[in-house]
Amino acid sequence: MSNQQGKVQKMSAHDLTELLFAQEELFILDVRNQEDYQDWRIEGHRVDSINVPYFELIDGVEAVVGKLPASQKILVVCAKEGSSIFVAEQLADAGLHDVYYLEGGMKQWSEHLAPVKVGDLRDGGEIYQFVRIGKGCLSYMIVSGQEAAVVDSVRMTDVYEAFAKERGLSIKHTIDTHLHADHISGGRKLAESTGATYWLPEKDAEEVVFAYKKLEEGKSIQVGSTSISILPIYSPGHTIGSTSLIVDDTYFLTGDILFVASIGRPDLAGKAQDWVGDLRDTLYNRYQELSKDLLVLPAHFGSYVELGTNGVVSARLGDLYRNNPGLNIADEGDFRRTVTEELPPQPNAYQEIRQVNMGRLKPDEEEQREMETGPNRCAVHDK
Amino acid sequence: MSATQPSFSVDKMLDCKGLACPMPVVRTKKAMEQLAPGQVLEVQATDKGSLADMKGWANSTGHQYLGTVQEGEVLKHFLRKASQQETKAETKYPHTITNEELQAKLQSGEPFTLIDVREPAEYAFERISVAKSIPMGVLEQRLAELPTDRDIFVICRSGNRSDLACRLLADKGFSRVKNVVPGMARWVGSVEKQ
């Protein structure tokens, strides 16, 4: 690599993800608008960042050079990439050496999916978590023999298809644990393109305009020749249909009901007061009856601190009963207040996103991208 | 944002269609340098991000972002070059009325005339509904339109142009004139828009 002045390097969303998973040091200069930065930005264990909009740097970067570390990797970030290159080049001209720009900007960052292996299944199969790190969405692929099931798929379905193809797998089932409000589901699209069966809880599907198979408690779904079973458990609260899945008696896919650092919010369908009792019952009674050794795998994370080794987001159910603040609110009145009154802002365009997931709105690619802008905010403690 | 054609004149048009960030703002900055204070620049862009960025840039430089009109895929941003004096809060005319007092007068229903001396482009994007538009530059030719039997309140963006206007009106014999301070920049009451 040359150290020539004026030379900046690009960092892909993939490279940045690896760097964050490895908890390496990074300094980010985010040149988007102040509002955009405050709403949603890249964070990590050892990431420092500052925000100076690019339009304040058109005449030169002198004002910002003094705020940047001389001996650290510097990543310039903007919405799409153009302005970050513009600023990064000026920083290199000003004598900074280790300057990168984020390829494709926050737009590409929001769509990047990183598959990480969670663990093995008893018949030799495996379970993978697909981390959508920019937005905090988590989806899953359960592999057994030559078959796969995808749970809570995001709309970038080509990633699952490519992953399956590389391993010679055919996707037989796509499952949504609930009707999502923070991101556009890829479940139906993926099912259509692979010939898989699309599963959705009936109570969340009252207004959908497409065919689906009912995801019902106790009716297990088989993957692969040796029959890895996915056992649905009715667990309402985030939505009235929310259903959790126990995979191979070991892994517990909790959807948006229980997260590692928080719990689901009941208000995204406008029915917080009706569903708060369900949420309480699911978390404080139904889940309590399950084995504390189950490994909880949620559909979201709220902050980088939840990313574990190699990027996997998971926790033992028993540990969450000790440490998760949402599972430790003894008083029912306090619980009701926490999940209905002290909530973070709702995710961007959540009502439209629900309509899309019911098949009632059909936005184009660019409109879908716009709806999904920003963080997911599905948990009561997200900020 | 609005979809109707503006009813004011533009001094320069800058075509940034098809250009991605940061070019629309970079070119806007260059074009602004060629304009005289008070002139209006129209920037046509297709990059959606240009909307927030034009506002942000204008804010950070002190130029005035007037508004944006959307036509199909094209965003037409209107910006007005600010002059040095108008950002300086130096007023000499002694009779003033605050924004809040004007608001109370509006609600009381008592008769008065409100003159907005800003440029047509500024008036077009945001105005108090009862305000009559008489730009500072043509005020002297239009004195005949003004009443002598009631109060006249004069408003602009920041109280400077209206201060000049009040002094002009006082020189011409109008005795019931007051300058509205600080003016439209801080107006929180209801407004009409383009």
Side-chain angles (χ1 to χ4, degrees), chain B residues 113-117 123 128 130-134 142 145-146:
Chain B
T113 296
L114 178 63
I115 309 293
D116 188 328
V117 295
Y123 180 82
I128 298 170
V130 300
K132 182 183 176 73
S133 171
I134 306 183
R142 293 176 60 180
E145 298 172 33
L146 302 180

Side-chain angles (χ1 to χ4, degrees), chain A residues 69-132:
Chain A
S71 57
Q72 212 176 324
K73 206 174 259 186
I74 295 164
L75 177 67
V76 188
V77 172
C78 72
K80 286 180 209 158
E81 140 181 324
S83 302
S84 63
I85 297 175
F86 174 81
V87 172
E89 282 176 349
Q90 292 187 69
L91 292 178
D93 288 342
L96 286 160
H97 297 297
D98 223 2
V99 182
Y100 295 74
Y101 69 88
L102 178 61
E103 188 183 17
M106 289 302 279
K107 179 171 157 182
Q108 207 147 309
W109 179 241
S110 164
E111 299 191 340
H112 183 68
L113 275 190
V116 287
K117 185 175 163 179
V118 177
D120 294 314
L121 306 178
R122 285 173 300 192
D123 76 339
E126 294 167 322
I127 178 165
Y128 292 88
Q129 185 176 58
F130 285 67
V131 183
R132 186 176 178 185

Side-chain angles (χ1 to χ4, degrees), chain A residues 124-296:
Chain A
E126 294 167 322
I127 178 165
Y128 292 88
Q129 185 176 58
F130 285 67
V131 183
R132 186 176 178 185
I133 185 169
K135 207 172 152 56
C137 301
L138 302 168
S139 50
Y140 297 89
M141 190 183 286
I142 297 147
V143 175
S144 171
Q146 297 307 300
E147 293 186 3
V150 178
V151 179
D152 289 330
S153 160
V154 295
R155 68 182 161 79
M156 285 68 77
T157 52
D158 50 331
V159 180
Y160 309 107
E161 289 197 65
F163 189 89
K165 195 174 169 196
E166 242 169 63
R167 289 161 181 76
L169 304 169
S170 78
I171 297 174
K172 291 288 184 190
H173 306 280
T174 70
I175 305 167
D176 274 334
T177 55
H178 63 287
L179 188 81
H180 295 280
D182 67 295
H183 70 267
I184 293 168
S185 168
R188 192 159 50 97
K189 183 167 128 198
L190 185 58
E192 277 165 13
S193 117
T194 59
T197 305
Y198 176 50
W199 302 77
L200 187 65
E202 188 182 17
K203 285 185 176 170
D204 276 6
E206 278 169 7
E207 294 173 67
V208 306
V209 298
F210 46 77
Y212 66 96
K213 206 154 174 188
K214 293 175 199 169
L215 183 66
E216 284 180 278
E217 169 154 320
K219 291 200 174 165
S220 69
I221 300 167
Q222 306 298 321
V223 188
S225 48
T226 53
S227 295
I228 286 304
S229 80
I230 300 175
L231 184 66
I233 297 196
Y234 181 50
S235 53
H238 174 64
T239 63
I240 191 63
S242 286
T243 300
S244 308
L245 306 171
I246 296 178
V247 178
D248 204 25
D249 299 326
T250 306
Y251 304 100
F252 188 33
L253 277 57
T254 52
D256 283 2
I257 289 293
L258 175 60
F259 306 112
V260 167
S262 185
I263 56 175
R265 59 194 289 173
D267 65 315
L268 295 182
K271 296 182 179 162
Q273 294 300 338
D274 295 356
W275 294 353
V276 61
D278 290 320
L279 185 63
R280 175 90 186 170
D281 186 51
T282 292
L283 293 172
Y284 286 75
N285 299 319
R286 299 223 84 186
Y287 278 10
Q288 272 284 15
E289 293 159 14
L290 302 170
S291 160
K292 297 292 179 290
D293 284 325
L294 287 171
L295 189 72
V296 171

Side-chain angles (χ1 to χ4, degrees), chain A residues 32-33 36 54-56 58-59 78 80-83 86 366 370, chain B residues 21-23 25-26 29 33 47-49 52-53 56-57 60-61:
Chain A
R32 294 174 302 153
N33 270 294
D36 291 341
Y54 74 90
F55 47 75
E56 290 178 11
I58 288 176
D59 284 332
C78 72
K80 286 180 209 158
E81 140 181 324
S83 302
F86 174 81
E366 192 54 42
E370 207 131 294
Chain B
C21 189
M23 291 322 290
V25 175
V26 170
K29 181 189 172 286
E33 285 163 7
D47 183 354
K48 282 184 191 152
D53 293 355
W57 174 76
S60 80
T61 54

Side-chain angles (χ1 to χ4, degrees), chain B residues 140-187:
Chain B
E140 202 165 348
Q141 290 101 67
R142 293 176 60 180
L143 296 176
E145 298 172 33
L146 302 180
T148 50
D149 60 344
R150 58 168 83 173
D151 288 337
I152 298 175
F153 303 135
V154 187
I155 196 165
C156 71
R157 182 188 177 199
S158 60
N160 285 288
R161 283 174 286 173
S162 52
D163 180 73
L164 272 175
C166 287
R167 280 186 274 153
L168 174 77
L169 293 178
D171 283 351
K172 299 292 176 185
F174 290 88
S175 57
R176 301 177 63 178
V177 178
K178 283 184 180 170
N179 183 15
V180 183
V181 288
M184 291 303 291
R186 298 280 173 81
W187 182 254

